[in-house]
Amino acid sequence: QVTVRDALNQALDEELERDERVFLLGEEVAQYDGAYKISRGLWKKYGDKRVIDTPISEMGFAGIAVGAAMVWLRPVCEFMTFNFSMQAIDQVINSAAKTCYMSAGSIAVPIVFRGPNGASSGVAAQHSQCFAAWYGHCPGLKVVSPWSAEDAKGLLKASIRDDNPVVMLENELLYGVPFEMSEQAQSKEFVIPIGKAKIEREGSHVTLVAHSRPVGHCLEAAAVLAKEGVECEVINMRTIRPLDIETVEASVVKTNHLVTVEGGWPQFGVGAEVCARIMEGSAFNYLDAPAVRVTGADVPMPYAKILEDNCIPQVKDIVFAVKKALNI
């Protein structure tokens, strides 16, 4: 078993070793081994030029990273939380995402922006926002959102090797969680293709679509519902942009019901996009009931634990949504 933290560390180590153009920069990533210990041991191994501590200035170090990518280095830019990426939104969107298009393809920007996204625990509104819908909205970016250790390793390696800017939305509460990791995933050449969802559990009655930490909640809800004779198919999106709608459509054709689950806010969210795409496509004709969304509450995250728990989708909320979709 490997934790998500160790899987990310493994991916960074392997890619730094594989390609001398790859470097990591961000707050506390070097001498302190990273705020979440993702970069543990890398500064000692690769030195100051490859693992770089920056001042607390997201706009500054994101701009440096984008400039480096434009001259064919491959920076990995860590935000201590994606809430702070708002300080650098001009660099991420106007500089990184749009440059390849505006230069008619002559300037690639091979950069990865990564760090924890969405709600952690007891950190209130300014550290708890999910940016999957924000970044998924913008053409020019690829956006990935891993759940398991295998997702984390395979998607980070694929992101570093990609010639486009990639936003990798990790989850702080998953960093210490151990997952089974296949022998194949331990290999140095293991990558997960960007833009391909994974069916984590086969089922026949309802399709559950989620990304990041809510995938685990969906699997727990599926286990609860299985005891009542309801078989859920659980899809781990893995990638927010480009969206693998084909896998979702094939599942909906089989189950005739759809429930989306996410930690982000409801309005214009990832689940809203999945539902819209299903409605616009051929799978709509196979739906036996309206699609149901399970999302975070439509408020800034409160600090009190009991309120926080009520703001984030729980297993009971998913079970309730499935029963609503199936009218049971």
Side-chain angles (χ1 to χ4, degrees):
Q1 287 202 326
V2 178
T3 64
V4 170
R5 174 182 288 109
D6 289 341
L8 291 165
N9 180 268
Q10 226 175 74
L12 285 167
D13 190 7
E14 289 169 9
E15 292 306 301
L16 282 160
E17 184 180 62
R18 175 180 174 271
D19 187 343
E20 62 183 17
R21 296 172 299 169
V22 175
F23 70 97
L24 173 67
L25 78 168
E27 294 150 0
E28 299 180 0
V29 299
Q31 295 186 41
Y32 187 66
D33 280 341
Y36 308 98
K37 301 296 177 266
I38 303 297
S39 52
R40 190 179 60 248
L42 299 180
W43 174 66
K44 284 181 180 163
K45 185 171 179 180
Y46 295 101
D48 289 327
K49 288 191 176 176
R50 306 287 304 283
V51 183
I52 303 166
D53 276 332
T54 66
I56 302 174
S57 173
E58 282 75 15
M59 183 186 291
F61 68 74
I64 288 168
V66 172
M70 287 177 178
V71 291
W72 278 101
L73 294 175
R74 291 187 172 269
V76 179
C77 178
E78 177 178 307
F79 294 122
M80 202 178 280
T81 155
F82 259 94
N83 295 263
F84 302 160
S85 74
M86 292 297 94
Q87 301 289 332
I89 195 81
D90 182 50
Q91 310 289 9
V92 178
I93 304 302
N94 283 327
S95 299
K98 298 175 183 176
T99 294
C100 185
Y101 182 85
M102 293 175 75
S103 66
S106 64
I107 302 174
V109 187
I111 185 171
V112 181
F113 301 101
R114 53 154 294 273
N117 169 71
S120 179
S121 186
V123 290
Q126 291 177 323
H127 296 73
S128 295
Q129 192 172 333
C130 175
F131 288 92
W134 280 54
Y135 286 120
H137 179 66
C138 301
L141 289 177
K142 293 185 178 181
V143 184
V144 297
S145 181
W147 167 61
S148 66
E150 204 159 292
D151 288 352
K153 182 179 180 186
L155 288 171
L156 180 52
K157 287 172 74 76
S159 301
I160 291 170
R161 297 182 189 190
D162 202 288
D163 287 340
N164 299 281
V166 182
V167 170
M168 180 157 173
L169 304 169
E170 301 152 13
N171 187 286
E172 186 183 334
L173 295 175
L174 289 174
Y175 282 153
V177 178
F179 288 88
E180 293 291 335
M181 219 164 161
S182 66
E183 203 173 311
Q184 180 197 6
Q186 305 280 1
S187 128
K188 287 189 175 181
E189 288 310 306
F190 175 72
V191 294
I192 290 171
I194 293 173
K196 193 77 193 97
K198 181 186 179 189
I199 296 172
E200 297 286 351
R201 179 187 173 119
E202 299 270 354
S204 53
H205 294 131
V206 61
T207 299
L208 296 178
V209 181
H211 65 94
S212 191
R213 190 163 170 257
V215 174
H217 293 144
C218 286
L219 290 169
E220 287 179 48
V224 170
L225 287 157
K227 293 174 184 168
E228 300 181 35
V230 176
E231 291 300 327
C232 303
E233 182 144 296
V234 178
I235 297 178
N236 172 8
M237 293 174 72
R238 283 178 162 175
T239 305
I240 306 300
R241 185 184 186 102
L243 194 62
D244 180 7
I245 203 64
E246 293 78 16
T247 296
V248 181
E249 283 180 331
S251 180
V252 169
V253 165
K254 179 169 71 167
T255 68
N256 312 116
H257 297 89
L258 173 64
V259 174
T260 67
V261 185
E262 65 189 305
W265 293 319
Q267 194 153 320
F268 315 115
V270 174
E273 177 65 19
V274 171
C275 292
R277 296 277 278 274
I278 290 298
M279 189 199 72
E280 291 167 353
S282 57
F284 174 72
N285 298 315
Y286 291 84
L287 279 175
D288 287 345
V292 179
R293 291 182 292 156
V294 180
T295 71
D298 198 19
V299 296
M301 181 63 69
Y303 174 70
K305 179 154 185 14
I306 190 164
L307 296 176
E308 180 184 78
D309 288 345
N310 279 290
C311 275
I312 302 168
Q314 307 291 342
V315 172
K316 62 180 175 59
D317 302 315
I318 300 168
V319 170
F320 177 81
V322 167
K323 289 183 174 181
K324 178 182 174 184
L326 295 173
N327 197 27
I328 55 175

